[in-house]
């Protein structure tokens, strides 16, 4: 079962590969350093669970001791259950709002899976809209809008105006693949809806669906030195792919740190990400973020009773962070089928693995033995890449420009349909399947995308089959 990072191509793959290289008009050997996994199913190392059911994203790390499972289950219950307005008879779960996006984490991270843009006419459920104005705020982060802050909250307690919502409409667009096949993509158009605190003058906006929750502690455990070694800001190796780390404000350490989480690597660690979600998405204060998220122009918000100081105790926050850090990664399926092995080979050959790095060993995590020193296959470098105009949101987030996104991990993506009951990909969920996600790649990802579009039908099918097996 042990994966090898140096395995060479299996002989049976040679044919597909030569066709591919011919198709790209080059006889040169491919210049990418091989990091193929070839048939390893244990994407999350010893945390990996064998499950491909609708519950596949909800398990604790397989290597967690039974004593520690208790905390995981407590964290799970706070993740799943609805918070209520303060004061309430059920202490421990009150303090919601005054402004909020959802009543529970799992409204958006349903079954710990991927969020989606709403159906036409429906309100936003598992997508959120970050906002800001031009310029930088404290520590070089986004500059809050004076009325709407850093995130649009479409819901509010009685007596407080919600901030509003966004209507998404879709514009069709066609691209052509080798062999003349036409594929329809859909591009989002956004329109402000029912804004409660004045016109959106100068408001920058970034639409982001909720990411899946699996394997996050493993990503936190990757050594910073490893990430540094992957950066290539000046494209020294000449492959057209740069890749840089974000640097973001760590509120607890009170210093700048590497960004790892969020679509722009805009959060430094899972504790701050969780506390940020409690405040931003549900209006709940913690020891990390002590002030209610009411803007200067929202007096009814500020006048509402709160549920204690802080509203979420350190103990509850700890269990929620523990939960977020220790969800297992599900095992791959059919890793040894010839078509998936061929697809894996192509994934490397056309440069996908340059950003979606297949293999890394995690370092020692200060508090989580489960995720320490694991050989994992996350298919990400956690770095920011310029993905071109069409994916750009035009809203900088610390060092991330309006065109840059963090490479998302691809582990588990073949299970979205089963777990989340949709197969929408990319930061705003515009891609309706994996092929559409690939075809949207621009900027540093364009060369790779173009090679995909030039592949023959069978090679494309093999690559997609490999991705479905993740
Ligand atoms: C309104 C929907 C929504 C709610 C509610 C929500 N999240 Fe999220 N979550 C998101 C979105 C969107 C992102 C990506 C944010 C970004 O890119 O800035 C995210 C990101 C995350 C991440 C980082 C994942 C990654 O791959 O980088 C974690 C961890 C997380 N949320 C945990 C939580 C927890 C814990 C709660 C409850 C306290 C919660 N979320 C509530 C939408 C939501
Ligand atoms: C230059 C770096 C880079 C290269 C090369 C690259 N990707 Fe990506 N990929 C990204 C980034 C960044 C995103 C997120 C973009 C967004 O959401 O707007 C992404 C998103 C994706 C997604 C959607 C994931 C999700 O969770 O929604 C898939 C699938 C994917 N890439 C597959 C591929 C395949 C297959 C290839 C090779 C043809 C490839 N990528 C090449 C950087 C890259």
């Amino acid at each position: 079962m042990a994966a090898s990072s140096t395995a060479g191509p299996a002989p049976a793959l040679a044919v597909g590969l030569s066709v591919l290289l011919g198709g790209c008009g080059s006889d040169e050997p491919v210049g990418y350093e091989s990091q193929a996994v070839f048939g390893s199913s244990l994407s999350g190392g010893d945390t990996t669970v064998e499950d491909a059911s609708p519950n596949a994203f909800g398990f604790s790390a397989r290597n967690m001791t039974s004593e520690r499972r208790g905390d995981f289950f407590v964290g799970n219950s706070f993740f799943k259950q609805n918070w209520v307005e303060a004061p309430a008879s059920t202490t421990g779960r009150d303090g919601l709002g005054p402004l909020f996006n959802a009543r529970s984490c799992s409204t958006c991270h349903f079954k710990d899976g991927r969020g989606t843009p709403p159906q036409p006419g429906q309100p936003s459920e598992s997508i959120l809209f970050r906002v800001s104005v031009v310029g930088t705020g404290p520590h070089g982060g986004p500059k809050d809008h004076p009325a709407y802050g850093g995130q649009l909250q479409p819901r509010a307690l009685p007596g407080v105006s919600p901030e509003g919502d966004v209507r998404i409409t879709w514009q069709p667009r066609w691209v052509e693949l080798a062999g003349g096949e036409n594929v329809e993509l859909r591009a989002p158009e956004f329109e402000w809806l029912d804004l409660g605190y004045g016109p959106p003058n100068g408001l920058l906006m970034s639409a982001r669906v909720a990411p899946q929750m699996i394997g996050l502690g493993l990503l936190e455990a990757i050594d910073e030195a490893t990430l540094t070694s992957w950066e290539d800001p000046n494209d020294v190796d000449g492959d057209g792919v740069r890749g840089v780390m974000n640097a973001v404000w760590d509120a607890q350490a009170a210093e700048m740190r590497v960004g790892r989480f969020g679509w722009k690597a805009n959060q430094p660690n899972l504790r701050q990400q969780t506390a940020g979600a409690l405040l931003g998405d549900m209006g709940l204060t913690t020891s990390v973020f002590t002030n209610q998220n009411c803007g200067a122009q929202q007096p009814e918000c500020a006048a509402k009773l709160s549920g204690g100081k802080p509203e979420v105790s350190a103990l509850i926050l700890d269990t929620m962070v523990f939960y977020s850090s220790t969800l297992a990664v599900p095992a791959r399926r059919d890793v040894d089928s010839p078509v998936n092995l061929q697809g894996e080979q192509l994934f490397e050959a056309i440069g996908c693995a340059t950003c979606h790095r297949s293999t890394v060993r995690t370092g020692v995590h200060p508090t989580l033995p489960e995720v320490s020193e694991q050989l994992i296959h996350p298919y990400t470098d956690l770095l920011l890449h310029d993905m071109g105009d069409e994916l750009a949101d035009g809203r900088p987030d610390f060092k991330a420009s309006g065109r840059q996104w963090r490479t998302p991990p691809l582990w588990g993506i073949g299970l979205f349909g089963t777990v989340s009951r949709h197969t929408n990909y990319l930061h705003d969920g515009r891609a309706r399947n994996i092929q559409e996600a690939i075809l949207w790649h621009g900027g540093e990802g364009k060369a790779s995308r173009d090679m995909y579009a030039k592949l023959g039908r069978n090679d494309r099918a093999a690559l997609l089959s490999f991705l479905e097996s993740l």
Side-chain angles (χ1 to χ4, degrees):
M1 262 310 180
S4 156
S5 53
T6 53
L13 303 174
V15 178
L17 197 56
S18 62
V19 169
L20 161 73
L21 294 174
C24 295
S26 160
D27 294 320
E28 295 295 310
V30 204
Y32 303 103
E33 190 189 332
S34 174
Q35 27 147 339
V37 178
F38 294 111
S40 170
S41 65
L42 299 180
S43 307
D46 294 341
T47 72
T48 312
V49 290
E50 301 276 344
D51 193 289
S53 77
N55 298 320
F57 289 177
F59 292 94
S60 60
R62 191 176 40 108
N63 57 353
M64 185 183 285
T65 60
S66 49
E67 300 86 79
R68 283 163 74 82
R69 289 229 156 92
D71 282 349
F72 178 88
F73 291 126
V74 175
N76 187 11
S77 76
F78 281 103
F79 191 84
K80 280 213 306 242
Q81 290 187 40
N82 283 349
W83 292 74
V84 296
E85 183 177 357
S89 46
T90 49
T91 49
R93 286 186 197 287
D94 71 351
L96 178 76
L99 292 160
F100 59 97
N101 290 72
R103 291 173 189 275
S104 73
C105 308
S106 61
T107 308
C108 293
H109 300 277
F110 179 66
K111 285 193 163 295
D112 304 293
R114 177 61 65 88
T116 179
Q119 292 297 322
Q122 296 298 308
S124 297
E125 275 268 279
S126 54
I127 187 168
L128 65 80
F129 303 94
R130 298 221 176 282
V131 294
S132 55
V133 294
V134 172
T136 46
H139 318 297
K143 186 171 182 180
D144 278 359
H145 184 274
Y148 294 99
Q151 170 179 337
L152 203 62
Q153 279 115 1
R155 295 177 180 81
L157 297 178
V160 178
S161 298
E163 291 187 328
D165 207 342
V166 172
R167 180 190 293 142
I168 308 178
T169 48
W170 302 100
Q171 302 305 323
R173 136 158 9 170
W174 294 88
V175 297
E176 196 179 325
L177 305 178
E181 188 185 324
N182 282 302
V183 177
E184 191 201 71
L185 304 179
R186 55 168 197 179
E189 272 182 13
F190 303 104
E191 194 190 327
W192 302 109
L193 213 59
D194 308 324
L195 287 184
Y197 297 89
N201 299 340
L203 209 55
L204 307 176
M205 193 270 280
S206 181
R208 304 181 188 187
V209 294
Q212 69 278 24
M213 295 289 296
I214 54 175
L216 298 176
L218 293 163
L219 299 181
E220 189 168 80
I222 298 174
D223 285 332
E224 200 173 312
T226 306
L227 301 181
T228 312
S229 74
W230 292 342
E231 285 189 301
D232 186 14
N234 302 316
D235 193 15
V236 172
D237 61 10
D239 64 0
V241 174
R242 294 184 295 277
V244 288
M245 297 189 292
N246 203 347
V248 304
W249 181 246
D250 182 327
Q252 294 164 98
E255 61 184 37
M256 300 301 284
R257 287 277 168 83
V258 177
R260 289 177 197 250
F261 299 101
W263 283 100
K264 289 199 187 244
N266 42 307
Q267 290 285 3
N269 54 54
L270 292 167
R271 193 176 176 81
Q272 183 162 320
Q273 172 79 57
T274 303
L278 284 163
L279 182 68
D281 306 345
M282 307 205 299
L284 294 160
T285 56
T286 55
S287 55
V288 182
F289 297 117
T290 48
N291 294 327
Q292 207 57 266
N293 59 344
C294 301
Q297 300 170 21
Q298 299 173 324
E300 328 96 299
C301 177
K304 273 271 171 186
L305 277 178
S306 88
K309 278 188 183 349
E311 289 164 334
V312 180
S313 73
L315 201 64
I316 294 175
L317 175 62
D318 284 346
T319 63
M320 293 181 80
V321 176
F322 184 65
Y323 176 75
S324 294
S325 311
T326 52
L327 281 153
V329 181
R332 282 185 56 198
R333 286 81 50 214
D334 302 323
V335 290
D336 293 328
S337 81
V339 66
N340 287 345
L341 288 168
Q342 184 193 343
E344 184 170 3
Q345 181 73 43
L346 288 163
F347 184 79
E348 280 227 354
I350 65 174
C352 310
T354 315
C355 301
H356 297 282
R357 292 189 80 96
S358 61
T359 304
V360 63
R361 187 174 287 282
T362 63
V364 176
H365 190 287
T367 58
L368 301 173
E370 293 85 357
V371 300
S372 296
E373 299 184 295
Q374 295 297 318
L375 187 68
I376 60 169
H377 308 300
Y379 300 94
T380 177
D381 57 6
L382 296 183
L383 300 180
L384 297 170
H385 297 276
D386 180 332
M387 296 302 286
D389 277 337
E390 299 211 281
L391 287 176
D393 64 356
R395 177 182 179 273
D397 208 332
F398 289 95
K399 258 175 71 186
S401 76
R403 296 162 60 95
Q404 284 176 318
W405 298 99
R406 180 199 72 166
T407 312
L410 299 183
W411 50 19
I413 61 164
L415 291 170
F416 283 11
T418 307
V419 173
S420 303
R421 302 192 206 134
H422 67 76
T423 56
N424 296 333
Y425 296 91
L426 296 176
H427 66 271
D428 52 15
R430 68 176 69 186
R432 289 163 294 190
N433 53 48
I434 291 177
Q435 171 165 274
E436 289 186 21
I438 298 170
L439 294 172
W440 276 110
H441 283 55
E444 294 172 43
K446 184 162 190 310
S448 199
R449 174 237 174 260
D450 290 348
M451 282 193 255
Y452 172 82
K454 284 187 195 140
L455 290 178
R457 187 183 290 270
N458 290 344
D459 283 341
R460 285 199 310 262
L463 180 60
L464 296 177
S465 173
F466 161 69
L467 292 165
E468 292 287 353
S469 78
L470 294 181

